Amino acid sequence: MVSPSSQSLSRLSKIGWIGLGAMGRPMALNLFTKTHLAHQRGEWAGYGKEKPSFLICEEDDSRAESFLFDLREKGGAGLVNRVERVGSGKEMAMHASRILTMLPSTPQVEAVYLDPKGGILAGLQALPLDTPSLGDLPASTSPVKPVSGVEELSSSTNMSAPYMPPTSSPPLDSPTSFAPASSDPNPSSGADAPHTLLIDQTTLDPTTARDIASQIHATTSHRALMLDAPVSGGTGAAERGELTIMFGSPSSEATRMAVELLGRMARDGGVIDCGSNGAGVGVKVCNNLILAINQIALSEGLALGRSLGLDPVLLHNVVNTSSGQSWSSRVNSPLEEIPGSPGSRHYAGGFQTRLMLKDAGLALSAAAVCNLPIPMTWAAKSVYEAVCNEGEGEMATRDFSVVFEWLKKKQAEGVERGWKADPTST
Ligand code: NAD
């Protein structure tokens, strides 16, 4: 038997990241620096004594360069010298055994994973048969344990993860059902054992997420294992390494390998097992549907309060101790009078309206697959669409609580039109 080449052995010590945008940049900074530190402390499960090394793939040159600059600041030259840039998912899959992706949405994830010329799957198909398996690595010493999403999350759960999955699952033959993650009878090693771990952290269409994972698993005979692991918490939590990460996994083996990496980007107890492939992103899309509606409801209540001459801070305080409260009212108020709120910083930073528009669209498409009417989401999507199209589109990149400003403007225009209307011409 021919031994695996040194190139394929060093693939075991390489971690790759694709998509270094607003979220991917700080997440990869944390993952790379903490993995580098874990190796220095003797806790990194790389191959032999080899140091971990890293690959990046980002189509925007300036983002790739600024990532390397920031990595040098955070982790020093010794770390940056262990990073190389590649040009495609295919190249990444040929050289790295663990790959994470953080891309805008469904079309980019489909392209990066499945493009027949440059996609990750094409790279996996080009690997030699004797590619060493991840089972050849020493057992992880990671202290991170995933939280099971089917148990009630503790009351200390961060407000960025207002999530509780259903206690009863939909029928398994439903086109949109997500089965519980299987526990593998034989966590494997040897020729059939998994050689690649893929973790997509994008918020995308849940059915597509599940279909891409199925295609990867079927084509590679489960030698590549894929999870969906979208995040909640925004760029601030990503910088601090305090994200909530909800994942869907094909097996307990994939889960075990993934949580070590995910824990380097998440808060304590923030890595949540939601079930099988597609379930992580399913939970994320349902959560954001609720958030999209809540933020508009808050804006309508606050705008009416202002027109009634109520003190906005008093209204804010009463709502937050009453039944109208939500994450939006507590943490994401549009009121400039509330210190630290998006309103107080002119809606800079935060979660962009264009992303909320995208997520409302994902919820609508998912509901269409289930033949389920969701009228409030439909209305919310129309509102965010109008906010993004307002003026020169300047509100599209502001925090989505800017919907309050849009609403006040439209209400003023409506009232004005009402005043100007000829009362005799009904
Ligand atoms: P972004 O647009 O800032 O970043 C995406 C990056 O992917 C860009 O740098 C882009 O150049 C790169 N990219 C696209 N196609 C590529 C390809 N083929 N190869 C290599 N690079 C490619 O988006 P973001 O704000 O980082 O969001 C990423 C995901 O996270 C989205 O799904 C979003 O909904 C979700 N999310 C965002 C936030 C937030 O606050 N921004 C919070 C939670 C979740």
Side-chain angles (χ1 to χ4, degrees):
M1 190 179 114
V2 183
S3 333
S5 66
S6 59
Q7 190 191 346
S8 52
L9 285 174
S10 79
R11 182 179 181 275
L12 285 176
S13 303
K14 285 202 172 77
I15 297 178
W17 192 286
I18 306 183
L20 295 163
M23 293 296 286
R25 185 197 65 85
M27 290 166 69
L29 284 175
N30 277 320
L31 178 66
F32 289 10
T33 47
K34 289 184 188 175
T35 303
H36 186 62
L37 284 174
H39 173 264
Q40 288 174 339
R41 289 196 301 264
E43 295 165 6
W44 160 248
Y47 186 76
K49 292 200 183 331
E50 200 170 327
K51 286 184 183 171
S53 53
F54 306 94
L55 298 178
I56 55 169
C57 176
E58 163 57 58
E59 61 183 13
D60 180 321
D61 290 341
S62 63
R63 287 186 173 187
E65 279 156 29
S66 87
F67 173 78
L68 292 174
F69 180 85
D70 292 345
L71 189 65
R72 183 180 294 273
E73 296 280 295
K74 200 171 160 105
L79 173 56
V80 171
N81 293 341
R82 303 199 59 74
V83 181
E84 282 175 71
R85 186 174 174 197
V86 298
S88 68
K90 178 176 181 182
E91 218 180 319
M92 180 74 86
M94 291 174 72
H95 299 289
S97 58
R98 285 165 271 200
I99 301 172
L100 296 96
T101 49
M102 190 51 154
L103 296 157
S105 194
T106 311
Q108 293 81 8
V109 175
E110 285 177 318
V112 163
Y113 280 85
L114 302 181
D115 181 81
K117 283 203 182 113
I120 287 174
L121 185 55
L124 296 171
Q125 289 174 298
L127 287 173
L129 283 177
D130 64 354
T131 299
S133 84
L134 289 162
D136 295 335
L137 295 172
S140 160
T141 54
S142 165
V144 181
K145 296 276 173 287
V147 176
S148 167
V150 289
E151 288 155 22
E152 190 163 353
L153 300 177
S154 83
S155 55
S156 65
T157 297
N158 180 308
M159 294 315 302
S160 62
Y163 139 76
M164 208 38 228
T167 47
S168 61
S169 303
L172 292 182
D173 59 354
S174 140
T176 50
S177 69
F178 302 107
S182 64
S183 54
D184 341 300
N186 307 312
S188 39
S189 69
D192 296 333
H195 53 45
T196 307
L197 181 70
L198 304 168
I199 306 177
D200 178 37
Q201 304 214 248
T202 312
T203 306
L204 77 161
D205 172 53
T207 310
T208 309
R210 189 180 54 176
D211 291 348
I212 293 174
S214 297
Q215 198 171 330
I216 299 266
H217 296 152
T219 312
T220 65
S221 306
H222 287 82
R223 292 214 72 196
L225 298 177
M226 180 168 178
L227 296 89
D228 49 288
V231 308
S232 181
T235 51
E239 300 274 356
R240 296 190 301 275
E242 291 179 359
L243 290 166
T244 297
I245 303 181
M246 48 216 98
F247 69 84
S249 168
S251 64
S252 55
E253 185 180 23
T255 298
R256 180 181 58 75
M257 292 190 286
V259 292
E260 180 184 15
L261 302 178
L262 297 177
R264 297 192 177 132
M265 300 175 274
R267 64 181 171 80
D268 280 350
V271 180
I272 301 170
D273 187 346
C274 298
S276 64
N277 284 114
V281 78
V283 168
K284 169 72 183 172
V285 167
C286 294
N287 177 75
N288 279 22
L289 169 167
I290 297 165
L291 176 60
I293 296 167
N294 279 349
Q295 195 72 44
I296 298 174
L298 174 70
S299 295
E300 290 194 3
L302 293 176
L304 177 59
R306 195 156 283 207
S307 296
L308 292 173
L310 303 177
D311 176 341
V313 176
L314 178 140
L315 178 58
H316 169 87
N317 290 338
V318 174
V319 166
N320 283 328
T321 50
S322 305
S323 46
Q325 66 173 301
S326 62
W327 179 87
S328 297
S329 69
R330 284 188 300 267
V331 180
N332 217 44
S333 172
L335 294 177
E336 62 185 334
E337 295 87 346
I338 304 300
S341 68
S344 72
R345 51 172 197 270
H346 306 292
Y347 310 98
F351 187 59
Q352 295 182 8
T353 313
R354 66 180 181 91
L355 291 176
M356 185 47 98
L357 172 60
K358 178 204 75 159
D359 289 357
L362 292 175
L364 281 176
S365 332
V369 174
C370 305
N371 200 20
L372 185 75
I374 43 173
M376 293 298 289
T377 312
W378 182 85
K381 178 172 179 272
S382 314
V383 168
Y384 290 117
E385 214 155 39
V387 178
C388 287
N389 291 333
E390 184 69 21
E392 301 288 306
E394 58 278 359
M395 288 185 182
T397 52
R398 304 251 154 203
D399 182 83
F400 72 114
S401 56
V402 76
V403 65
F404 181 55
E405 299 302 327
W406 175 88
L407 186 69
K408 284 192 297 182
K409 188 163 182 270
K410 293 297 136 186
Q411 287 175 336
E413 285 169 9
V415 170
E416 203 176 315
R417 265 202 298 276
W419 279 344
K420 281 182 185 160
D422 176 357
T424 57
S425 67
T426 46

